[in-house]
Amino acid sequence: MTNDLADAQQAHLSRLEQAYAALLAEHGYDGVLLYSGRAHRHFADDQHASFAAYGHFLHWVPLAGLEHSWLLIRPGQRPRLYFHAPRDFWHLSPRLPEEAWVEAFEVVCQEEGEAPRLPAGRFAILGEVSAAQAERLGAEANPEALTRALDEARVRKSDYEVACLREANRRALAGHAAARDAFLAGGAELDCQLAYLQAARIRESELPYQSIVGINAHGGVLHYQHYDLEAPARAHSLLVDGGHRFRGYCADITRSWAGPAASDDYRALLADMDRLQRQLVEGLAPGVSYVTMQERMHQGLADLLVEHGLVKASAEAALERGITRAFCPHGLGHLLGLQVHDVGGRQDKQGHPLPPPPTHPALRLTRELEAGMAITVEPGLYVIPMLLEPLRQGATAGMLDWGRVEALGEHGGIRIEDNVVITAVGRDNLTRDLDFTQAMS
């Protein structure tokens, strides 16, 4: 770790101590105990699912794979980390790194993962704990008001957090470049994923989410979850939604690529979708409503559908009849941080709910943008038969050129996603600021 990153992390921890002290006082608590969590065992098996530590624990302790550990935070006192380090010959026991941040904690190593006894006072306990366990400790389990307040404290990122997000982007982009090259060399979906992992230097179980690697029509399945072993006879397109995790912080990047068999219509639409995505990013600034940005995306999609001959009616009619929502049913983006879909996106500063509008129920970010927010910007356009089929009936039946739509269907879809930090004067695109050459260096 560089000295600059170490210094930024120390400032981050100091900021957390101040924020927690203020919030605990405001909500009437003497302290809070954060549980890192545990991996869950598959039913009737001795194998466990992949694991990532609880976000609020990870906000302090940058060890995403650390299980059965606890962090006790009391205002005015050094945070106490109960570090789970069992004696085990089946697995390698975790060790604390030799890094400066460790000195900020009073570390108690323990072989068992049981929660520590709490001192006298009113305490909250956050994480995957039961009400009965909290009662045994004399604490309140996941009190809603405090949890929402701590969620809000994660919405605006520190300089340290932005640096971690930037590095996660750099590593993810190296994976994207390798996946693209494997595809253009004739590889199958599995070949693209293996190339991604090798270039990004990460195990699949450590990714923040399972990569989406869709060739041809699979690119139109929003969360496509398989990797075909054989390449198709004709390679029309590739969509890769792949991330990375650095010190707990997540990258979430999507790129679409034209294959050797791509139609001219698809190539032209891909270029225009890229331009639309860049224009949307340029519109980001403090005070801008993300609901408004969602509406701008659909206006842009309506214009493209008309320009490319997929819709034969006006852009206004495409919006009014819900045609754009059939081509893009998801939201423009979400908050990003220690979780891919980070906390706080559908609440205001006071923690009051901000539900998405009925016309855009999948939108995960419904608040105004503020300096320090890290977000994704990911417009998409897909041919999804189950969503388009209803448009063949009634007033919309004659509004689409179904031949062109069906021809586009063998390409699946297009999604272009960047990770962007909102600054005091605009935005910092963590993804576009790194080209593939820089990412692989």
Side-chain angles (χ1 to χ4, degrees):
M1 182 170 62
T2 66
N3 290 335
D4 288 346
L5 187 61
D7 291 343
Q9 187 174 15
Q10 293 292 352
H12 169 76
L13 291 172
S14 296
R15 169 183 159 179
L16 277 184
E17 289 185 15
Q18 295 170 12
Y20 267 65
L23 290 174
L24 290 171
E26 178 184 344
H27 290 267
Y29 292 96
D30 296 297
V32 61
L33 184 65
L34 305 177
Y35 179 42
S36 69
R38 61 184 177 86
H40 288 270
R41 184 177 293 179
H42 297 300
F43 180 71
D45 200 349
D46 63 353
Q47 299 295 309
H48 291 77
S50 299
F51 169 78
Y54 176 51
H56 287 302
F57 178 93
L58 201 53
H59 207 188
W60 292 79
V61 181
L63 301 173
L66 185 61
E67 298 182 68
H68 302 295
S69 295
W70 304 81
L71 183 62
L72 178 61
I73 300 165
R74 292 170 290 175
Q77 299 190 42
R78 197 176 176 196
R80 182 178 296 170
L81 173 60
Y82 294 87
F83 183 79
H84 182 231
R87 288 168 56 85
D88 188 359
F89 56 83
W90 290 105
H91 306 93
L92 183 65
S93 185
R95 295 181 181 179
L96 283 168
E98 294 182 2
E99 295 181 1
W101 67 263
V102 177
E103 299 303 317
F105 299 89
E106 177 189 347
V107 178
V108 178
C109 292
Q110 54 183 26
E111 292 186 21
E112 303 299 326
E114 296 300 318
R117 294 182 61 182
L118 293 172
R122 185 185 181 209
F123 284 82
I125 179 170
L126 269 61
E128 192 180 5
V129 294
S130 65
Q133 184 180 17
E135 185 177 1
R136 288 196 300 271
L137 293 170
E140 300 174 38
N142 298 303
E144 183 176 0
L146 179 62
T147 301
R148 285 189 175 184
L150 293 177
D151 287 351
E152 183 65 22
R154 281 171 47 190
V155 168
R156 287 157 292 279
K157 304 300 188 285
S158 66
D159 291 343
Y160 163 74
E161 294 177 285
V162 173
C164 291
L165 290 167
R166 194 183 304 278
E167 179 61 16
N169 265 259
R170 187 187 70 81
R171 298 183 183 199
L173 281 173
H176 277 271
R180 173 204 59 190
D181 292 347
F183 167 68
L184 295 177
E189 290 168 353
L190 180 61
D191 300 312
C192 297
Q193 172 65 353
L194 293 176
Y196 185 103
L197 297 173
Q198 183 177 25
R201 307 299 294 165
I202 191 169
R203 295 171 58 188
E204 189 161 57
S205 61
E206 294 173 342
L207 290 170
Y209 58 93
Q210 179 180 311
S211 300
I212 300 167
V213 182
I215 292 179
N216 294 350
H218 292 161
V221 181
L222 298 186
H223 286 173
Y224 176 64
Q225 71 274 41
H226 305 292
Y227 305 128
D228 273 359
L229 305 184
E230 301 296 331
R234 291 172 56 80
H236 299 285
S237 63
L238 169 69
L239 184 150
V240 177
D241 188 337
H244 209 289
R245 190 187 287 275
F246 179 72
R247 303 178 78 83
Y249 290 87
C250 303
D252 178 9
I253 302 169
T254 308
R255 289 292 183 266
S256 296
W257 305 100
S263 68
D264 290 342
D265 284 348
Y266 176 81
R267 293 176 188 274
L269 187 58
L270 177 59
D272 281 347
M273 281 293 293
D274 184 70
R275 279 191 286 273
L276 172 61
Q277 197 271 351
R278 291 173 183 265
Q279 291 169 1
L280 290 167
V281 170
E282 286 299 310
L284 303 176
V288 173
S289 165
Y290 217 61
V291 174
T292 299
M293 295 303 303
Q294 172 81 2
E295 293 167 349
R296 288 182 190 173
M297 175 185 74
H298 277 274
Q299 180 63 64
L301 292 176
D303 292 338
L304 289 186
L305 289 171
V306 172
E307 289 171 16
H308 287 263
L310 296 166
V311 169
K312 297 185 288 185
S314 67
E316 291 72 22
L319 285 170
E320 181 182 346
R321 295 290 183 176
I323 292 174
T324 59
R325 294 197 297 275
F327 280 95
C328 183
H330 61 70
L332 176 60
H334 49 80
L335 291 178
L336 182 70
L338 292 165
Q339 294 166 230
V340 173
H341 300 130
D342 213 4
V343 293
R346 288 179 169 180
Q347 67 181 42
D348 63 18
K349 289 183 179 181
Q350 289 71 43
H352 302 135
L354 289 175
T359 50
H360 303 292
L363 182 60
R364 297 177 182 269
L365 178 54
T366 55
R367 55 194 292 173
E368 286 190 356
L369 299 178
E370 301 173 47
M373 285 182 173
I375 66 172
T376 67
V377 184
E378 47 184 303
L381 195 154
Y382 318 88
V383 176
I384 304 175
M386 68 173 292
L387 298 183
L388 293 173
E389 194 62 30
L391 299 181
R392 293 181 181 271
Q393 310 298 322
T396 57
M399 295 174 66
L400 285 82
D401 185 328
W402 290 105
R404 299 192 76 146
V405 171
E406 290 164 3
L408 186 64
E410 59 188 359
H411 300 76
I414 298 167
R415 182 162 66 250
I416 301 170
E417 177 183 17
D418 290 345
N419 302 166
V420 182
V421 173
I422 306 303
T423 67
V425 295
R427 85 292 310 162
D428 178 6
N429 192 328
L430 306 182
T431 310
R432 298 279 187 173
D433 286 351
L434 292 164
D435 64 25
F436 286 144
T437 302
Q438 290 173 304
M440 292 185 288
S441 63

